[in-house]
Amino acid sequence: MSQTVGRTRHAYHRLWHHTSLSSPSAPPLGRIASRIATLLMGKHKPTYDPSTDCGDYVVATDCSQIHVTGKKLQQKKYYSHTTRPGSLKEISMEAMIRKWGGGEVLKRAVRGMLPKNRLRDIRLDRLKTFEGQAHPYKENLVKVNAGEGEIEGNVLPDGAIMGEVKKIEGEQGEKLAV
């Protein structure tokens, strides 16, 4: 019998989540970045431990259509410095989207919301950003724009759904678990 409770390979199974930033109901940059950071850390799982890397993968598409509020496109500045005197560089969010795309803006927002420790870069590597709809991870996706009550997944050969439980609505409106 194992002496380790909940620390098995199956407990740390990673799911693939997909979010599209082009939908009209897409939240602003900060809200979507905080949700992505939660998924990358694994805080939504019952086996969450801050010192272990148990988060999921996230695929973000249509990053070129990222939504921000107010005048952040013109006023938000990103700074970089090489530690040499006089090498401070600044770039606005609008110029960064033109130069490197909206995916870089999203990655920097998520990076700021992850804990500042040795796992930050490892977790950030699981965020895959794309400027358009096309991406090579279609077969891996388990959750696609999962809202309350709707979770889509890949079906395994035995008919089970890979990942979390799929909820459907019955005839009388009650929730049934499959």
Side-chain angles (χ1 to χ4, degrees), residues 23-56:
S23 65
S25 63
L29 174 64
R31 291 183 189 268
I32 200 144
S34 64
R35 291 178 189 166
I36 290 173
T38 301
L39 292 172
L40 291 175
M41 287 186 285
K43 287 185 109 172
H44 63 289
K45 295 182 176 184
T47 57
Y48 171 70
D49 182 25
S51 64
T52 59
D53 188 21
C54 59
D56 293 339

Side-chain angles (χ1 to χ4, degrees), residues 18-20 22 59-65 129-135:
H18 175 257
T19 184
S20 177
S22 68
V59 177
T61 56
D62 289 326
C63 291
S64 61
Q65 300 175 10
T129 59
F130 299 95
E131 298 301 312
Q133 282 287 337
H135 62 86

Side-chain angles (χ1 to χ4, degrees), residues 80-85 87-89:
S80 62
H81 200 285
T82 64
T83 69
R84 302 280 297 173
S87 68
L88 179 66
K89 295 178 184 175

